[in-house]
Amino acid sequence: MTTIGVLGCGLMGAGIAQASAAAGFRTVVLEVDDATLARGLARIEKFLAGGVEKGKMTADEKARILANLSGTTSYDDLRDCGLVIEAIVEQVEAKRTAYARVEAVVGPDCLIATNTSSLCVTELAATTRRPDRFGGLHFFNPVPLMKLVEVIRAQTTSAATHDALLGVARAMGKEPVSAPDRGGFIVNRLLIPYLLDAIRCLEQGLGTVEDIDAAMKLGCGYPMGPFTLLDFVGLDTTYFIADILFDEFREARFAPPPLLKRMVLAGQLGRKSGRGFYTYA
Ligand code: 3HC
């Protein structure tokens, strides 16, 4: 496999494209229009420039990574891909349309992987003509810094596809963990109830946002407290995943607390909207 396609150059897609290009794969990242593509590529350029500034890489390494990367708005440019990783909006219909457009141009051996954090991978695989050559590659934000990739085996994913996806994750310098196609996989199955519980604790007056964050950060050695992490992940994203988990398992611990719902309805989504549990400049 020499060429990898990435659908979507948002927060996750940009990180995945960067990791792929850094690993030496010829990487083609696709966006819906030129302006969105330019914003995504600028995000990658900025991260790499930050790496050079911090002494994490040389200017030559940055140039080598960028040379492996090209952006496009045309599905035709994905024709040589051995793997296409999809990181677009979390809507089954949008993904189904994107997969059909990929399948119209790629060869029969091309694998498709979704970066979905919460949708059923088996359902997505079933929308394609290659459910055996389809699986999940769930990256974590910020992709260039987070070592984990969950490699999801759908009901129909072949053993060869699963092994190939584990290999690609390793080639990208990540540490893959096989996870089953069950709501939330491993990380979100455990992380989301923890984050929801932190909101319930806040609602019940257990402590302030700052105190609960400080307690979990300093007491457990977590890099971020739950409210900093909620703002980082996005309150809308957390709410969306919680709803899917609740729908799948019908357990109260997955039910979104009232405060989370109200904050999402008010547009208080965390860092991305400038306000969540904290306010951002
Ligand atoms: N290029 C290269 N390296 C860089 C860099 C860049 N542009 N920017 C930062 N780094 C390096 C730093 O030099 C540092 O390296 P060092 O440890 O060797 O010194 C390291 O990356 C950490 O960077 P910083 O010191 O600037 O920042 P922090 O120490 O504050 O760490 C963080 C930032 C990695 C985001 C950390 O806070 C963290 O791990 N937070 C938790 C993130 C998390 O939980 N993510 C998962 C969210 S859940 C998810 O994604 C799933 C989804 O489905 C919801």
Side-chain angles (χ1 to χ4, degrees):
M1 192 179 298
T2 54
T3 306
I4 292 182
V6 179
L7 303 184
C9 200
L11 189 64
M12 297 306 284
I16 295 166
Q18 182 187 317
S20 168
F25 294 108
R26 208 141 42 81
T27 305
V28 186
V29 60
L30 180 137
E31 256 302 350
V32 285
D33 57 50
D34 288 334
T36 315
L37 179 63
R39 274 200 301 277
L41 293 175
R43 191 194 290 273
I44 297 173
E45 157 77 38
K46 187 174 168 203
F47 190 92
L48 294 175
V52 174
E53 221 170 88
K54 290 179 162 68
K56 294 285 169 184
M57 72 177 73
T58 64
D60 281 354
E61 278 167 332
K62 175 183 170 226
R64 180 188 63 78
I65 295 169
L66 289 176
N68 288 338
L69 187 69
S70 57
T72 186
T73 55
S74 164
Y75 278 82
D76 285 341
D77 292 329
L78 300 175
R79 75 180 84 76
D80 296 329
C81 291
L83 165 68
V84 173
I85 304 172
E86 167 270 310
I88 68 168
V89 285
E90 293 280 60
Q91 291 166 6
V92 176
E93 190 49 33
K95 291 185 193 285
R96 188 194 64 75
T97 305
Y99 302 151
R101 296 185 73 179
V102 169
E103 289 195 290
V105 297
V106 298
D109 295 334
C110 177
L111 307 179
I112 303 180
T114 176
N115 177 57
T116 186
S117 58
S118 48
L119 297 176
C120 173
V121 180
T122 302
E123 181 182 2
L124 297 176
T127 68
T128 72
R129 286 184 278 111
R130 61 190 75 208
D132 55 326
R133 282 152 289 154
F134 190 103
L137 278 176
H138 182 217
F139 291 80
F140 291 81
N141 180 28
V143 177
L145 301 184
M146 302 300 280
K147 291 299 268 183
L148 180 69
V149 176
E150 290 179 317
V151 182
I152 319 299
R153 193 171 196 160
Q155 201 71 23
T156 48
T157 309
S158 70
T161 299
H162 190 69
D163 286 348
L165 295 180
L166 286 167
V168 168
R170 283 192 200 100
M172 287 187 183
K174 304 296 184 192
E175 291 185 22
V177 168
S178 290
D181 180 27
R182 295 289 182 274
F185 315 131
I186 295 173
V187 171
N188 282 335
R189 173 91 168 256
L190 295 169
L191 176 66
I192 297 295
Y194 159 68
L195 296 177
L196 301 180
D197 237 358
I199 300 172
R200 282 189 269 269
C201 287
L202 180 71
E203 284 189 291
Q204 289 163 14
L206 189 74
T208 62
V209 164
E210 290 79 7
D211 281 351
I212 294 173
D213 263 2
M216 294 312 292
K217 202 175 154 189
L218 303 177
C220 296
Y222 290 174
M224 291 174 168
F227 297 107
T228 306
L229 187 54
L230 276 157
D231 279 359
F232 184 71
V233 168
L235 271 60
D236 51 343
T237 303
T238 306
Y239 184 57
F240 181 80
I241 301 174
D243 254 350
I244 288 185
L245 288 171
F246 184 70
D247 195 49
E248 175 123 327
F249 300 109
R250 306 292 163 142
E251 291 174 25
R253 66 202 179 101
F254 297 118
L259 176 61
L260 177 63
K261 179 176 172 179
R262 301 285 172 309
M263 289 179 74
V264 172
L265 289 173
Q268 295 165 4
L269 309 181
R271 276 184 197 222
K272 67 174 94 167
S273 72
R275 183 166 172 205
F277 289 99
Y278 296 94
T279 309
Y280 302 87

